[in-house]
Amino acid sequence: MELKVAKAYSDFLSSRHRYAILYGGAGSGKSWAAAQKMLIRLLVEHPHKFLVIRKVARTLRESVFALFLDLIEQLGLSEEFKVNRTNMTIEAFNGNKIVFFGLDDPEKIKSIAGITGIWIEEATELTQEDFDQLDLRLRGETRHYKQIVVTFNPVSSTHWIKKRFFDNRPPDTFILKTTYLDNPFIDDEYRAVMERIKRDNYDYYRIYALGEWGTLKGVIYPDYKVVDEMPKYFEDEFLGIDFGYNHAYAIVHVRIDGKNLYADEIFYKREWENPRVVEWMEKNYPHFKRVAAYADSARPDLISEYRHRGFNIHQANKSVFEGINAVKSFDIHITRRSQNIIREIDTYVWKMDRDGNPLDEPVKHNDDAMDALRYALTPYIKKHPKARSMRISLI
């Protein structure tokens, strides 16, 4: 068995600090390194029960849970582990175990005893109170060192993580910053994407790619609210569908109530063929067949597959600027479970010219849910023509 580890993470692998903070830019391999270390400890130390956390449980299955399964398969260790895909647990031959939970179900976490290590993925999703509660759970005498691994991409310089671990660094803390430039496994295509982002909006590149603390300029939707649920009473509702495979296939449910727009993440996955998604929608959301859906007009063949299954689907208005302004004409609300929508909206920015002035076009990156959101507003592009003349201002 050969485990290939990026040199940038060698100190992290040997760190025994209680807090191991891995932060930096996208594509730096932080999550991969965290999974590697946890897997190593799972195999060579005993006893262990590791807890892997994200804010919302359903985001775990397609992210870190899938990452562990890929790592186990690559190492040829599938026979050494028992995987429960329903409950999202991984148990090693020696009795060690990894359990995966979201903080949207805190009662389940309270019932877990004997935790010897924690990994918090996308830690910026958590509140400080969330973190404090997890920190308190890692206690008691253990044979091996206890460690909380924290992985994230920084955005706002006002975030509690910066205040807690960077502005006043506590003892027993290891901090490592990495970027895509530290990842030897990044392909040339990804590097080219990062260079394009660097040209389109350097401030976005500095924060998203280089992982620097700061506040993004030119955010397209700077004001939105997070809500617990979609409203029961509303005037209109639609679906927006952005087809994908290598990039995310996104489906967003929108309800309109007066000046308020509510958005809920229905589907957000990679490497799913369209027939599989249509079948999944028909099985899990058959009532959405009655809701008008608007999808990428560049793929009429994929739209036809929905129609053949009885969905009320139409071609979306693909005018980016008009669609954005239709969305901006509402007060935006996003459900708490829609973590991919929240992640995208926080970094959805305008391209900039050489003088730092915004252009009428967004940076084309990390925007699959944003495309689906504006597709859903296709009927309102016609209803609200004044929205197309709204001014752009930097925040």
Side-chain angles (χ1 to χ4, degrees):
M1 181 184 73
E2 182 183 8
L3 185 64
K4 296 181 179 179
V5 179
K7 290 182 180 179
Y9 294 99
S10 59
D11 289 341
F12 162 63
L13 292 182
S14 60
S15 164
R16 292 172 172 259
H17 299 76
R18 180 176 178 86
Y19 307 110
I21 312 298
L22 304 184
Y23 81 110
S28 63
K30 299 181 295 296
S31 299
W32 193 255
Q36 287 177 320
K37 180 170 185 177
M38 188 165 277
L39 192 64
I40 291 170
R41 297 192 66 193
L42 201 71
L43 293 172
V44 303
E45 299 174 359
H46 184 270
H48 273 308
K49 181 187 282 188
F50 291 131
L51 175 63
V52 179
I53 288 289
R54 280 194 67 173
K55 181 68 173 181
V56 178
R58 73 177 187 180
T59 61
L60 281 166
R61 190 175 300 278
E62 299 299 321
S63 55
V64 287
F65 184 67
L67 189 155
F68 270 103
L69 299 187
D70 288 344
L71 181 57
I72 290 170
E73 183 178 356
Q74 286 186 23
L75 294 174
L77 297 174
S78 298
E79 298 299 321
E80 306 295 330
F81 292 92
K82 180 180 179 181
V83 177
N84 187 320
R85 296 176 182 270
T86 302
N87 295 330
M88 283 196 294
T89 61
I90 299 174
E91 187 171 353
F93 67 93
N94 57 11
N96 286 340
K97 194 173 185 179
I98 309 176
V99 294
F100 299 77
F101 281 105
L103 286 177
D104 51 344
D105 195 354
E107 293 304 316
K108 284 188 176 181
I109 295 174
K110 291 179 182 178
S111 66
I112 301 174
I115 298 299
T116 58
I118 300 173
W119 172 18
I120 305 172
E121 169 72 326
E122 301 289 356
T124 51
E125 298 173 353
L126 275 62
T127 65
Q128 185 166 350
E129 182 180 1
D130 290 333
F131 180 86
D132 290 342
Q133 289 300 315
L134 291 171
D135 198 6
L136 291 172
R137 293 202 60 76
L138 194 61
R139 62 183 184 270
E141 293 296 326
T142 57
R143 183 181 301 177
H144 306 284
Y145 66 95
K146 299 185 290 292
Q147 186 172 75
I148 300 177
V149 178
V150 179
T151 55
F152 65 96
N153 300 328
V155 177
S156 173
S157 57
T158 63
H159 198 278
W160 68 265
I161 291 179
K162 183 175 184 296
K163 295 177 181 178
R164 172 149 185 176
F165 289 104
F166 293 80
D167 296 344
N168 187 22
R169 183 170 175 168
D172 206 12
T173 299
F174 171 86
I175 297 179
L176 177 65
K177 177 186 176 184
T178 53
T179 74
Y180 72 99
L181 299 171
D182 297 304
N183 189 348
F185 308 108
I186 286 293
D187 56 51
D188 292 338
E189 183 179 358
Y190 191 87
R191 291 177 184 273
V193 169
M194 292 294 106
E195 290 301 314
R196 174 176 55 78
I197 292 172
K198 186 177 181 179
R199 294 192 302 270
D200 290 346
N201 186 321
Y202 186 77
D203 187 56
Y204 179 73
Y205 171 81
R206 180 179 60 81
I207 294 173
Y208 182 81
L210 299 184
E212 297 181 9
W213 292 101
T215 302
L216 280 173
K217 297 179 181 178
V219 176
I220 295 173
Y221 306 125
D223 299 313
Y224 68 89
K225 295 180 180 179
V226 176
V227 295
D228 290 329
E229 297 292 340
M230 294 285 274
K232 294 182 179 179
Y233 304 100
F234 52 91
E235 298 170 7
D236 286 324
E237 70 173 334
F238 310 100
L239 292 180
I241 302 175
D242 182 49
F243 301 119
Y245 184 79
N246 291 323
H247 65 87
Y249 191 129
I251 302 178
V252 175
H253 179 209
V254 169
R255 283 179 172 170
I256 303 295
D257 182 23
K259 291 185 176 181
N260 297 304
L261 179 156
Y262 297 86
D264 188 45
E265 180 181 311
I266 299 300
F267 187 89
Y268 192 98
K269 300 181 188 295
R270 290 174 173 80
E271 298 183 354
W272 276 51
E273 298 284 358
N274 197 62
R276 185 184 177 192
V277 181
V278 176
E279 184 178 351
W280 184 89
M281 285 291 291
E282 190 171 38
K283 179 181 177 180
N284 293 280
Y285 295 96
H287 58 284
F288 277 152
K289 288 186 176 183
R290 302 188 300 269
V291 176
Y294 296 88
D296 187 347
S297 59
R299 297 302 306 270
D301 55 326
L302 303 187
I303 291 176
S304 294
E305 292 179 1
Y306 276 93
R307 285 197 180 126
H308 289 157
R309 291 294 189 100
F311 284 88
N312 179 21
I313 191 169
H314 312 273
Q315 293 187 359
N317 184 324
K318 290 197 66 175
S319 172
V320 178
F321 190 58
E322 291 181 352
I324 287 173
N325 279 327
V327 175
K328 286 171 70 71
S329 68
F330 293 95
D331 294 330
I332 303 170
H333 305 74
I334 304 172
T335 58
R336 195 175 308 279
R337 60 179 168 265
S338 301
Q339 289 297 312
N340 289 300
I341 298 179
I342 293 172
R343 175 179 54 81
E344 286 194 13
I345 202 170
D346 283 341
T347 58
Y348 195 44
V349 296
W350 298 109
K351 287 184 179 181
M352 300 288 182
D353 63 20
R354 291 183 179 180
D355 297 323
N357 299 310
L359 304 174
D360 292 348
E361 184 180 355
V363 172
K364 189 61 183 170
H365 181 70
N366 195 32
D367 62 350
D368 304 297
M370 294 298 95
D371 284 350
L373 177 61
R374 61 183 175 83
Y375 291 164
L377 267 288
T378 290
Y380 278 76
I381 293 175
K382 299 175 182 178
K383 289 184 179 181
H384 299 284
K386 290 183 180 179
R388 294 195 288 269
S389 62
M390 292 177 67
R391 295 174 57 194
I392 303 172
S393 59
L394 293 180
I395 302 297

